[in-house]
Amino acid sequence: LEREGPQSPPHLQRPMKVAGLARCTAARAARREAARSAGGVPQALAAAATSAILAWHCSSPPPRADDAAGSSESSEPLDARWTSRECRLLSDEPPLDLLEGRFVFADGAGVRVWPATACLAEYLRATGLHSDRLAEGAPWKGSRVLELGCGCGALAVLLARWECERVVATDASPKALALAAANAERHCPEALRDGRLRLRLGDWADASACRKLCEAEGPFDAVVAADAVLAIPPSGPMWQANEALARAAASPPEPLLEATRELAAGGAEVFLAVAERSGDVRATARALLDRRHQVELLSPPREIQPEGGGHPVTIFHFRWKETPGVGGDVTHQLWGS
């Protein structure tokens, strides 16, 4: 699926990839049958490829988190579905050798480190949670941080290495969490063992789950999320062949914002990194405008261009007010930027 290398675009819709997926025996048989019934080669090819990859990859059990307890010095993936890649999260520091999933379409976008993660990491380091500690280089030391949609754990690893008191990294995908556990074992095993880094399965769209998470792990000083907004469902031959899967892949900003309202209660700061694909930044800004009476922007939205190219990323930095206000300042900053 990823024959173009780890830097290939996220849409995964190129015809050469679809054709490559359809070369297996099951795909050929499904393609012939679909071609006879649908009468269209592109649609039949997409349907066959989708059916084959989902049947092949999704039927196997996800990697277990305790499988991640291998040697941190090993350069080999610990699972056939995983691969290793050097990811530069901070421009002036050496890259981290991180494990990622090979099959983004089958296993979900969370198994890959996306550029928005590096943009948010740079912003978090430069801004910090404790401005008085910026000079000593420890702006996150002693903080309690919650990450929503941690994926394979790149940002959670950085936060743990920045001496946060507690980092709770959550994701709705067991496959992504298994990768996060493996990467944490590679780069900050002591944080896993002493409980400073905790991995939890959870969906921010579930209000009940958010309340339980807050009761069990909160309160937090900060809530962070990178590349967690996809306002419009993905399109293209692969996704058109499975509309239900495309709809499930969409992640509008409203549920995410409501989750942060619950999880960041008590004045916690919220940092959202939103990649601009098809109006994702505008949708997030509009959702914040709709909640302008409850939101306090701590800085204007900041656009960052990823170092390796790709979609620009906008950082939204705010907190939820204890009591509703006028909201004029929020309107001015969002509209002006």
Side-chain angles (χ1 to χ4, degrees), residues 10 116 226-234 249-254 256-257 272-288 311-316 334:
D227 215 350
V229 174
L230 187 62
I232 300 175
S251 178
E254 290 81 5
L256 176 62
L257 291 179
L272 303 182
V274 180
E276 179 51 66
R277 294 185 179 88
S278 300
D280 298 329
V281 170
R282 181 181 294 272
T284 305
R286 185 177 296 278
L288 282 170
H311 302 288
V313 175
T314 296
I315 309 294
F316 293 92
L334 287 175

Side-chain angles (χ1 to χ4, degrees), residues 107-119:
D107 291 344
V111 301
R112 179 63 57 85
V113 179
W114 302 104
T117 301
C119 294

Side-chain angles (χ1 to χ4, degrees), residues 89-106:
L89 300 178
L90 298 170
S91 57
D92 58 350
E93 291 190 8
L96 290 178
D97 186 20
L98 294 172
L99 292 169
E100 297 180 307
R102 294 177 182 271
F103 309 110
V104 175
F105 183 78

Side-chain angles (χ1 to χ4, degrees), residues 81 299 332:
R81 303 166 67 86
S299 63
H332 174 74

Side-chain angles (χ1 to χ4, degrees), residues 33-312:
E33 178 61 28
R36 284 194 294 267
S37 59
V41 173
Q43 292 83 357
L45 180 61
T50 302
S51 175
I53 190 170
L54 291 178
W56 180 26
H57 295 306
C58 293
S59 60
S60 61
R64 300 190 311 272
D66 51 336
D67 287 340
S71 168
S72 60
E73 299 179 359
S74 172
S75 60
E76 293 298 320
L78 303 179
D79 188 281
R81 303 166 67 86
W82 298 355
T83 185
S84 182
R85 177 167 71 101
E86 288 193 344
C87 301
R88 186 176 296 278
L89 300 178
L90 298 170
S91 57
D92 58 350
E93 291 190 8
L96 290 178
D97 186 20
L98 294 172
L99 292 169
E100 297 180 307
R102 294 177 182 271
F103 309 110
V104 175
F105 183 78
D107 291 344
V111 301
R112 179 63 57 85
V113 179
W114 302 104
T117 301
C119 294
L120 182 56
E122 290 279 13
Y123 185 90
L124 293 177
R125 184 179 65 166
T127 304
L129 195 63
H130 305 288
S131 56
D132 56 330
R133 296 178 185 168
L134 280 173
E136 58 189 73
W140 289 88
K141 185 175 182 179
S143 303
R144 297 161 297 178
V145 184
L146 169 66
E147 182 181 7
L148 300 176
C150 68
C152 49
L155 188 60
V157 164
L158 272 187
L159 289 165
R161 294 173 67 168
W162 288 348
E163 301 181 81
C164 289
E165 177 186 318
R166 182 169 71 247
V167 178
V168 180
T170 69
D171 202 285
S173 167
K175 297 177 181 181
L177 278 184
L179 279 162
N183 283 319
E185 188 65 38
R186 278 189 165 198
H187 298 289
C188 54
E190 67 289 341
L192 273 180
R193 297 188 183 103
D194 63 22
R196 288 189 298 110
L197 174 56
R198 307 175 188 181
L199 304 176
R200 293 181 63 111
L201 186 68
D203 182 0
W204 68 65
D206 186 338
S208 174
C210 288
R211 284 191 293 271
K212 291 178 181 177
L213 175 62
C214 203
E215 292 170 359
E217 300 286 1
F220 303 104
D221 299 312
V223 177
V224 303
D227 215 350
V229 174
L230 187 62
I232 300 175
S235 59
M238 296 280 288
W239 295 104
Q240 290 171 4
N242 194 325
E243 294 183 4
L245 192 64
R247 287 194 299 270
S251 178
E254 290 81 5
L256 176 62
L257 291 179
E258 290 306 311
T260 65
R261 188 204 297 264
E262 177 75 33
L263 296 165
E269 298 185 19
V270 181
F271 301 82
L272 303 182
V274 180
E276 179 51 66
R277 294 185 179 88
S278 300
D280 298 329
V281 170
R282 181 181 294 272
T284 305
R286 185 177 296 278
L288 282 170
L289 275 174
D290 291 341
R291 294 159 177 79
R292 59 188 176 277
H293 301 294
Q294 293 84 32
V295 169
E296 175 191 358
L297 284 185
L298 299 176
S299 63
R302 178 182 172 188
E303 184 178 292
I304 301 175
Q305 186 64 43
E307 185 177 338
H311 302 288

